[in-house]
Amino acid sequence: MIIPDARPLDYEARSEDDMQARAQAFYEAMRTRRTVREFSDRPVPREIIETAILTAGTAPNGANHQPWHFTVLGQGPIRARLREAAEAEERAFYAGKAGAEWLEALAPLGTDASKPFLETAPWLIAVFGQKRGGPQPGDFKKNYYVTESVGIACGLLLASLHQAGLATLTHTPNPMGFLSEICERPAHEKPVMLIVTGYPAGDAAYPAAAASKKPLDEICDFR
Ligand code: IYR
């Protein structure tokens, strides 16, 4: 392969012991992440959120078009509107739109249509996948692997926020059309999820069922 405008890789070789220790340390850090649904209103510096979004923006993605947009909502009057719209969708969802099987799957989490965190948490990050765009600002080319790219970016965003010491919640009100409207995003951008972040409320708790993770031999095989 011929690499256009090739640059030497900035690669730091490590010993196998060091690699295992670093992988283990990252696992120990990440395994303490819990999805939190009760947030404090204590402010969090904007710079931490900016750094986490820069981290999300390093995600591998289709043709390096970086097909994502993050609309960050701080505290403000827009929050009440957003909560109202989200809770209206959630009420319909929990009242039966979800169907019995889905509601049964959610029962161990204890979730319901009430979403006070949409007003309490200092930051909400609405994540959009761009069907069109390109490597340069203003491009309007077709994008590729948008779902996968945005999913990886969200994973990095959540890892960064957790590593920084913040609580997070991936919230996916269904449907999410109202997010595009409130965030004033164009029609070629699809809302993917809302990431809520801030400090956990003093009495925040999580359902034991959510912390039970499958063992390695269940999620992996080597051939
Ligand atoms: N969007 C709803 C329902 C919900 C769905 C799944 I799948 C979850 O893992 C959690 C919740 C809500 O936010 O309550």
Side-chain angles (χ1 to χ4, degrees), residues 89-113:
E89 300 290 10
E90 297 292 353
R91 278 193 296 273
F93 177 90
Y94 284 97
K97 212 177 102 189
E101 189 174 4
W102 197 345
L103 292 178
E104 199 181 307
L106 291 178
L109 303 182
T111 53
D112 59 28

PDB file of all heavy atoms in Angstrom, residues 89-113:
ATOM      1  N   GLU A  89     -42.590  11.270  25.937  1.00  0.00           N
ATOM      2  CA  GLU A  89     -42.279  10.045  25.183  1.00  0.00           C
ATOM      3  C   GLU A  89     -42.181   8.849  26.119  1.00  0.00           C
ATOM      4  O   GLU A  89     -42.658   7.753  25.817  1.00  0.00           O
ATOM      5  CB  GLU A  89     -40.941  10.188  24.425  1.00  0.00           C
ATOM      6  CG  GLU A  89     -40.885  11.311  23.401  1.00  0.00           C
ATOM      7  CD  GLU A  89     -41.757  11.059  22.171  1.00  0.00           C
ATOM      8  OE1 GLU A  89     -42.550  10.099  22.185  1.00  0.00           O
ATOM      9  OE2 GLU A  89     -41.656  11.837  21.211  1.00  0.00           O
ATOM     10  N   GLU A  90     -41.523   9.059  27.253  1.00  0.00           N
ATOM     11  CA  GLU A  90     -41.309   7.945  28.192  1.00  0.00           C
ATOM     12  C   GLU A  90     -42.628   7.456  28.787  1.00  0.00           C
ATOM     13  O   GLU A  90     -42.799   6.260  29.024  1.00  0.00           O
ATOM     14  CB  GLU A  90     -40.356   8.358  29.321  1.00  0.00           C
ATOM     15  CG  GLU A  90     -38.948   8.710  28.857  1.00  0.00           C
ATOM     16  CD  GLU A  90     -38.157   7.524  28.321  1.00  0.00           C
ATOM     17  OE1 GLU A  90     -38.634   6.376  28.417  1.00  0.00           O
ATOM     18  OE2 GLU A  90     -37.071   7.756  27.783  1.00  0.00           O
ATOM     19  N   ARG A  91     -43.550   8.393  29.035  1.00  0.00           N
ATOM     20  CA  ARG A  91     -44.852   7.974  29.592  1.00  0.00           C
ATOM     21  C   ARG A  91     -45.555   7.031  28.619  1.00  0.00           C
ATOM     22  O   ARG A  91     -46.075   5.983  29.023  1.00  0.00           O
ATOM     23  CB  ARG A  91     -45.725   9.192  29.922  1.00  0.00           C
ATOM     24  CG  ARG A  91     -45.390   9.826  31.283  1.00  0.00           C
ATOM     25  CD  ARG A  91     -46.460  10.806  31.721  1.00  0.00           C
ATOM     26  NE  ARG A  91     -46.558  11.954  30.827  1.00  0.00           N
ATOM     27  CZ  ARG A  91     -45.820  13.066  30.937  1.00  0.00           C
ATOM     28  NH1 ARG A  91     -44.966  13.187  31.931  1.00  0.00           N
ATOM     29  NH2 ARG A  91     -45.947  14.046  30.074  1.00  0.00           N
ATOM     30  N   ALA A  92     -45.518   7.378  27.345  1.00  0.00           N
ATOM     31  CA  ALA A  92     -46.142   6.514  26.330  1.00  0.00           C
ATOM     32  C   ALA A  92     -45.415   5.163  26.271  1.00  0.00           C
ATOM     33  O   ALA A  92     -46.044   4.103  26.165  1.00  0.00           O
ATOM     34  CB  ALA A  92     -46.104   7.201  24.974  1.00  0.00           C
ATOM     35  N   PHE A  93     -44.079   5.230  26.377  1.00  0.00           N
ATOM     36  CA  PHE A  93     -43.252   4.013  26.330  1.00  0.00           C
ATOM     37  C   PHE A  93     -43.617   3.063  27.475  1.00  0.00           C
ATOM     38  O   PHE A  93     -43.922   1.890  27.265  1.00  0.00           O
ATOM     39  CB  PHE A  93     -41.783   4.431  26.400  1.00  0.00           C
ATOM     40  CG  PHE A  93     -40.790   3.302  26.444  1.00  0.00           C
ATOM     41  CD1 PHE A  93     -40.269   2.767  25.272  1.00  0.00           C
ATOM     42  CD2 PHE A  93     -40.349   2.793  27.665  1.00  0.00           C
ATOM     43  CE1 PHE A  93     -39.330   1.734  25.320  1.00  0.00           C
ATOM     44  CE2 PHE A  93     -39.411   1.766  27.711  1.00  0.00           C
ATOM     45  CZ  PHE A  93     -38.905   1.228  26.538  1.00  0.00           C
ATOM     46  N   TYR A  94     -43.607   3.613  28.701  1.00  0.00           N
ATOM     47  CA  TYR A  94     -43.867   2.755  29.864  1.00  0.00           C
ATOM     48  C   TYR A  94     -45.341   2.375  29.991  1.00  0.00           C
ATOM     49  O   TYR A  94     -45.671   1.380  30.632  1.00  0.00           O
ATOM     50  CB  TYR A  94     -43.367   3.425  31.153  1.00  0.00           C
ATOM     51  CG  TYR A  94     -41.852   3.351  31.285  1.00  0.00           C
ATOM     52  CD1 TYR A  94     -41.044   4.423  30.908  1.00  0.00           C
ATOM     53  CD2 TYR A  94     -41.235   2.194  31.753  1.00  0.00           C
ATOM     54  CE1 TYR A  94     -39.663   4.348  31.010  1.00  0.00           C
ATOM     55  CE2 TYR A  94     -39.853   2.111  31.854  1.00  0.00           C
ATOM     56  CZ  TYR A  94     -39.066   3.196  31.486  1.00  0.00           C
ATOM     57  OH  TYR A  94     -37.706   3.109  31.585  1.00  0.00           O
ATOM     58  N   ALA A  95     -46.220   3.164  29.380  1.00  0.00           N
ATOM     59  CA  ALA A  95     -47.655   2.843  29.445  1.00  0.00           C
ATOM     60  C   ALA A  95     -48.014   1.696  28.505  1.00  0.00           C
ATOM     61  O   ALA A  95     -49.164   1.246  28.496  1.00  0.00           O
ATOM     62  CB  ALA A  95     -48.485   4.071  29.125  1.00  0.00           C
ATOM     63  N   GLY A  96     -47.075   1.249  27.701  1.00  0.00           N
ATOM     64  CA  GLY A  96     -47.392   0.089  26.871  1.00  0.00           C
ATOM     65  C   GLY A  96     -46.758   0.072  25.498  1.00  0.00           C
ATOM     66  O   GLY A  96     -46.617  -0.982  24.892  1.00  0.00           O
ATOM     67  N   LYS A  97     -46.335   1.236  25.000  1.00  0.00           N
ATOM     68  CA  LYS A  97     -45.752   1.286  23.660  1.00  0.00           C
ATOM     69  C   LYS A  97     -44.541   0.350  23.548  1.00  0.00           C
ATOM     70  O   LYS A  97     -44.263  -0.214  22.487  1.00  0.00           O
ATOM     71  CB  LYS A  97     -45.334   2.736  23.341  1.00  0.00           C
ATOM     72  CG  LYS A  97     -45.450   3.088  21.881  1.00  0.00           C
ATOM     73  CD  LYS A  97     -45.086   4.537  21.642  1.00  0.00           C
ATOM     74  CE  LYS A  97     -43.690   4.632  21.087  1.00  0.00           C
ATOM     75  NZ  LYS A  97     -43.185   6.005  21.027  1.00  0.00           N
ATOM     76  N   ALA A  98     -43.826   0.208  24.663  1.00  0.00           N
ATOM     77  CA  ALA A  98     -42.618  -0.622  24.657  1.00  0.00           C
ATOM     78  C   ALA A  98     -42.939  -2.092  24.399  1.00  0.00           C
ATOM     79  O   ALA A  98     -42.112  -2.816  23.837  1.00  0.00           O
ATOM     80  CB  ALA A  98     -41.903  -0.480  25.994  1.00  0.00           C
ATOM     81  N   GLY A  99     -44.114  -2.524  24.830  1.00  0.00           N
ATOM     82  CA  GLY A  99     -44.454  -3.942  24.729  1.00  0.00           C
ATOM     83  C   GLY A  99     -44.014  -4.676  25.989  1.00  0.00           C
ATOM     84  O   GLY A  99     -43.080  -4.256  26.678  1.00  0.00           O
ATOM     85  N   ALA A 100     -44.689  -5.794  26.258  1.00  0.00           N
ATOM     86  CA  ALA A 100     -44.486  -6.512  27.524  1.00  0.00           C
ATOM     87  C   ALA A 100     -43.057  -7.037  27.677  1.00  0.00           C
ATOM     88  O   ALA A 100     -42.466  -6.970  28.755  1.00  0.00           O
ATOM     89  CB  ALA A 100     -45.482  -7.659  27.617  1.00  0.00           C
ATOM     90  N   GLU A 101     -42.484  -7.539  26.596  1.00  0.00           N
ATOM     91  CA  GLU A 101     -41.156  -8.161  26.709  1.00  0.00           C
ATOM     92  C   GLU A 101     -40.093  -7.126  27.099  1.00  0.00           C
ATOM     93  O   GLU A 101     -39.223  -7.381  27.941  1.00  0.00           O
ATOM     94  CB  GLU A 101     -40.783  -8.849  25.389  1.00  0.00           C
ATOM     95  CG  GLU A 101     -39.520  -9.685  25.524  1.00  0.00           C
ATOM     96  CD  GLU A 101     -39.188 -10.494  24.276  1.00  0.00           C
ATOM     97  OE1 GLU A 101     -39.897 -10.346  23.253  1.00  0.00           O
ATOM     98  OE2 GLU A 101     -38.200 -11.244  24.335  1.00  0.00           O
ATOM     99  N   TRP A 102     -40.180  -5.945  26.469  1.00  0.00           N
ATOM    100  CA  TRP A 102     -39.215  -4.886  26.759  1.00  0.00           C
ATOM    101  C   TRP A 102     -39.378  -4.404  28.213  1.00  0.00           C
ATOM    102  O   TRP A 102     -38.405  -4.251  28.951  1.00  0.00           O
ATOM    103  CB  TRP A 102     -39.386  -3.729  25.752  1.00  0.00           C
ATOM    104  CG  TRP A 102     -38.218  -2.786  25.690  1.00  0.00           C
ATOM    105  CD1 TRP A 102     -37.196  -2.678  26.596  1.00  0.00           C
ATOM    106  CD2 TRP A 102     -37.944  -1.817  24.662  1.00  0.00           C
ATOM    107  NE1 TRP A 102     -36.311  -1.708  26.210  1.00  0.00           N
ATOM    108  CE2 TRP A 102     -36.739  -1.165  25.032  1.00  0.00           C
ATOM    109  CE3 TRP A 102     -38.586  -1.435  23.493  1.00  0.00           C
ATOM    110  CZ2 TRP A 102     -36.181  -0.144  24.249  1.00  0.00           C
ATOM    111  CZ3 TRP A 102     -38.025  -0.418  22.714  1.00  0.00           C
ATOM    112  CH2 TRP A 102     -36.837   0.211  23.093  1.00  0.00           C
ATOM    113  N   LEU A 103     -40.613  -4.203  28.609  1.00  0.00           N
ATOM    114  CA  LEU A 103     -40.855  -3.724  29.981  1.00  0.00           C
ATOM    115  C   LEU A 103     -40.370  -4.751  31.014  1.00  0.00           C
ATOM    116  O   LEU A 103     -39.809  -4.398  32.051  1.00  0.00           O
ATOM    117  CB  LEU A 103     -42.337  -3.394  30.181  1.00  0.00           C
ATOM    118  CG  LEU A 103     -42.828  -2.184  29.371  1.00  0.00           C
ATOM    119  CD1 LEU A 103     -44.323  -1.948  29.588  1.00  0.00           C
ATOM    120  CD2 LEU A 103     -42.039  -0.907  29.718  1.00  0.00           C
ATOM    121  N   GLU A 104     -40.527  -6.007  30.671  1.00  0.00           N
ATOM    122  CA  GLU A 104     -40.056  -7.075  31.569  1.00  0.00           C
ATOM    123  C   GLU A 104     -38.524  -7.038  31.674  1.00  0.00           C
ATOM    124  O   GLU A 104     -37.958  -7.239  32.748  1.00  0.00           O
ATOM    125  CB  GLU A 104     -40.517  -8.415  30.990  1.00  0.00           C
ATOM    126  CG  GLU A 104     -40.522  -9.550  31.986  1.00  0.00           C
ATOM    127  CD  GLU A 104     -40.968 -10.837  31.315  1.00  0.00           C
ATOM    128  OE1 GLU A 104     -42.045 -10.827  30.677  1.00  0.00           O
ATOM    129  OE2 GLU A 104     -40.229 -11.831  31.403  1.00  0.00           O
ATOM    130  N   ALA A 105     -37.864  -6.754  30.541  1.00  0.00           N
ATOM    131  CA  ALA A 105     -36.394  -6.688  30.544  1.00  0.00           C
ATOM    132  C   ALA A 105     -35.900  -5.522  31.390  1.00  0.00           C
ATOM    133  O   ALA A 105     -34.810  -5.577  31.979  1.00  0.00           O
ATOM    134  CB  ALA A 105     -35.880  -6.555  29.108  1.00  0.00           C
ATOM    135  N   LEU A 106     -36.689  -4.464  31.450  1.00  0.00           N
ATOM    136  CA  LEU A 106     -36.285  -3.267  32.203  1.00  0.00           C
ATOM    137  C   LEU A 106     -36.618  -3.359  33.690  1.00  0.00           C
ATOM    138  O   LEU A 106     -36.055  -2.607  34.495  1.00  0.00           O
ATOM    139  CB  LEU A 106     -36.963  -2.022  31.614  1.00  0.00           C
ATOM    140  CG  LEU A 106     -36.480  -1.600  30.232  1.00  0.00           C
ATOM    141  CD1 LEU A 106     -37.252  -0.397  29.745  1.00  0.00           C
ATOM    142  CD2 LEU A 106     -34.979  -1.301  30.249  1.00  0.00           C
ATOM    143  N   ALA A 107     -37.506  -4.263  34.054  1.00  0.00           N
ATOM    144  CA  ALA A 107     -37.968  -4.335  35.450  1.00  0.00           C
ATOM    145  C   ALA A 107     -36.816  -4.409  36.469  1.00  0.00           C
ATOM    146  O   ALA A 107     -36.851  -3.700  37.480  1.00  0.00           O
ATOM    147  CB  ALA A 107     -38.942  -5.497  35.621  1.00  0.00           C
ATOM    148  N   PRO A 108     -35.747  -5.201  36.210  1.00  0.00           N
ATOM    149  CA  PRO A 108     -34.660  -5.276  37.200  1.00  0.00           C
ATOM    150  C   PRO A 108     -33.916  -3.950  37.382  1.00  0.00           C
ATOM    151  O   PRO A 108     -33.185  -3.775  38.356  1.00  0.00           O
ATOM    152  CB  PRO A 108     -33.701  -6.327  36.621  1.00  0.00           C
ATOM    153  CG  PRO A 108     -34.465  -7.054  35.577  1.00  0.00           C
ATOM    154  CD  PRO A 108     -35.528  -6.118  35.070  1.00  0.00           C
ATOM    155  N   LEU A 109     -34.091  -3.012  36.446  1.00  0.00           N
ATOM    156  CA  LEU A 109     -33.400  -1.721  36.561  1.00  0.00           C
ATOM    157  C   LEU A 109     -34.249  -0.704  37.313  1.00  0.00           C
ATOM    158  O   LEU A 109     -33.734   0.306  37.797  1.00  0.00           O
ATOM    159  CB  LEU A 109     -33.043  -1.174  35.177  1.00  0.00           C
ATOM    160  CG  LEU A 109     -32.192  -2.078  34.283  1.00  0.00           C
ATOM    161  CD1 LEU A 109     -31.887  -1.384  32.967  1.00  0.00           C
ATOM    162  CD2 LEU A 109     -30.891  -2.469  34.979  1.00  0.00           C
ATOM    163  N   GLY A 110     -35.545  -0.950  37.387  1.00  0.00           N
ATOM    164  CA  GLY A 110     -36.426  -0.044  38.133  1.00  0.00           C
ATOM    165  C   GLY A 110     -36.637   1.310  37.478  1.00  0.00           C
ATOM    166  O   GLY A 110     -37.027   2.270  38.138  1.00  0.00           O
ATOM    167  N   THR A 111     -36.380   1.418  36.185  1.00  0.00           N
ATOM    168  CA  THR A 111     -36.564   2.709  35.505  1.00  0.00           C
ATOM    169  C   THR A 111     -38.051   3.006  35.305  1.00  0.00           C
ATOM    170  O   THR A 111     -38.870   2.089  35.242  1.00  0.00           O
ATOM    171  CB  THR A 111     -35.859   2.723  34.127  1.00  0.00           C
ATOM    172  OG1 THR A 111     -36.313   1.589  33.381  1.00  0.00           O
ATOM    173  CG2 THR A 111     -34.354   2.662  34.280  1.00  0.00           C
ATOM    174  N   ASP A 112     -38.374   4.284  35.212  1.00  0.00           N
ATOM    175  CA  ASP A 112     -39.751   4.675  34.890  1.00  0.00           C
ATOM    176  C   ASP A 112     -39.726   5.968  34.070  1.00  0.00           C
ATOM    177  O   ASP A 112     -38.653   6.414  33.643  1.00  0.00           O
ATOM    178  CB  ASP A 112     -40.597   4.819  36.165  1.00  0.00           C
ATOM    179  CG  ASP A 112     -40.037   5.841  37.125  1.00  0.00           C
ATOM    180  OD1 ASP A 112     -39.360   6.796  36.655  1.00  0.00           O
ATOM    181  OD2 ASP A 112     -40.256   5.718  38.337  1.00  0.00           O
ATOM    182  N   ALA A 113     -40.878   6.559  33.865  1.00  0.00           N
ATOM    183  CA  ALA A 113     -40.981   7.704  32.962  1.00  0.00           C
ATOM    184  C   ALA A 113     -40.480   9.017  33.568  1.00  0.00           C
ATOM    185  O   ALA A 113     -40.345  10.015  32.853  1.00  0.00           O
ATOM    186  CB  ALA A 113     -42.426   7.873  32.517  1.00  0.00           C
TER     187      ALA A 113
END
